[in-house]
mmCIF file with all atom_site columns, all heavy atoms in Angstrom:
data_model
loop_
_atom_site.group_PDB
_atom_site.id
_atom_site.type_symbol
_atom_site.label_atom_id
_atom_site.label_alt_id
_atom_site.label_comp_id
_atom_site.label_asym_id
_atom_site.label_entity_id
_atom_site.label_seq_id
_atom_site.pdbx_PDB_ins_code
_atom_site.Cartn_x
_atom_site.Cartn_y
_atom_site.Cartn_z
_atom_site.occupancy
_atom_site.B_iso_or_equiv
_atom_site.pdbx_formal_charge
_atom_site.auth_seq_id
_atom_site.auth_comp_id
_atom_site.auth_asym_id
_atom_site.auth_atom_id
_atom_site.pdbx_PDB_model_num
ATOM 1  N N   . ASP A 1 344 ? -10.886 10.832 1.283  1.00 93.00 ? 344 ASP A N   1
ATOM 2  C CA  . ASP A 1 344 ? -11.998 10.385 2.123  1.00 93.00 ? 344 ASP A CA  1
ATOM 3  C C   . ASP A 1 344 ? -12.826 9.381  1.330  1.00 93.00 ? 344 ASP A C   1
ATOM 4  O O   . ASP A 1 344 ? -12.905 9.449  0.099  1.00 93.00 ? 344 ASP A O   1
ATOM 5  C CB  . ASP A 1 344 ? -12.920 11.562 2.510  1.00 93.00 ? 344 ASP A CB  1
ATOM 6  C CG  . ASP A 1 344 ? -12.234 12.594 3.373  1.00 93.00 ? 344 ASP A CG  1
ATOM 7  O OD1 . ASP A 1 344 ? -11.868 12.255 4.515  1.00 93.00 ? 344 ASP A OD1 1
ATOM 8  O OD2 . ASP A 1 344 ? -12.065 13.738 2.914  1.00 93.00 ? 344 ASP A OD2 1
ATOM 9  N N   . LEU A 1 375 ? -20.928 -1.330 2.321  1.00 98.00 ? 375 LEU A N   1
ATOM 10 C CA  . LEU A 1 375 ? -21.883 -0.530 3.070  1.00 98.00 ? 375 LEU A CA  1
ATOM 11 C C   . LEU A 1 375 ? -22.205 -1.204 4.400  1.00 98.00 ? 375 LEU A C   1
ATOM 12 O O   . LEU A 1 375 ? -22.580 -2.383 4.440  1.00 98.00 ? 375 LEU A O   1
ATOM 13 C CB  . LEU A 1 375 ? -23.186 -0.362 2.274  1.00 98.00 ? 375 LEU A CB  1
ATOM 14 C CG  . LEU A 1 375 ? -23.066 0.174  0.846  1.00 98.00 ? 375 LEU A CG  1
ATOM 15 C CD1 . LEU A 1 375 ? -24.440 0.227  0.191  1.00 98.00 ? 375 LEU A CD1 1
ATOM 16 C CD2 . LEU A 1 375 ? -22.414 1.545  0.833  1.00 98.00 ? 375 LEU A CD2 1
ATOM 17 N N   . HIS A 1 395 ? -12.851 15.273 -2.745 1.00 85.00 ? 395 HIS A N   1
ATOM 18 C CA  . HIS A 1 395 ? -11.707 15.588 -3.590 1.00 85.00 ? 395 HIS A CA  1
ATOM 19 C C   . HIS A 1 395 ? -12.034 15.463 -5.083 1.00 85.00 ? 395 HIS A C   1
ATOM 20 O O   . HIS A 1 395 ? -11.808 14.432 -5.699 1.00 85.00 ? 395 HIS A O   1
ATOM 21 C CB  . HIS A 1 395 ? -10.503 14.699 -3.248 1.00 85.00 ? 395 HIS A CB  1
ATOM 22 C CG  . HIS A 1 395 ? -9.197  15.324 -3.671 1.00 85.00 ? 395 HIS A CG  1
ATOM 23 N ND1 . HIS A 1 395 ? -8.063  14.599 -3.853 1.00 85.00 ? 395 HIS A ND1 1
ATOM 24 C CD2 . HIS A 1 395 ? -8.873  16.617 -3.973 1.00 85.00 ? 395 HIS A CD2 1
ATOM 25 C CE1 . HIS A 1 395 ? -7.079  15.400 -4.226 1.00 85.00 ? 395 HIS A CE1 1
ATOM 26 N NE2 . HIS A 1 395 ? -7.543  16.629 -4.297 1.00 85.00 ? 395 HIS A NE2 1
#
Side-chain angles (χ1 to χ4, degrees):
D344 295 295
L375 307 178
H395 203 200

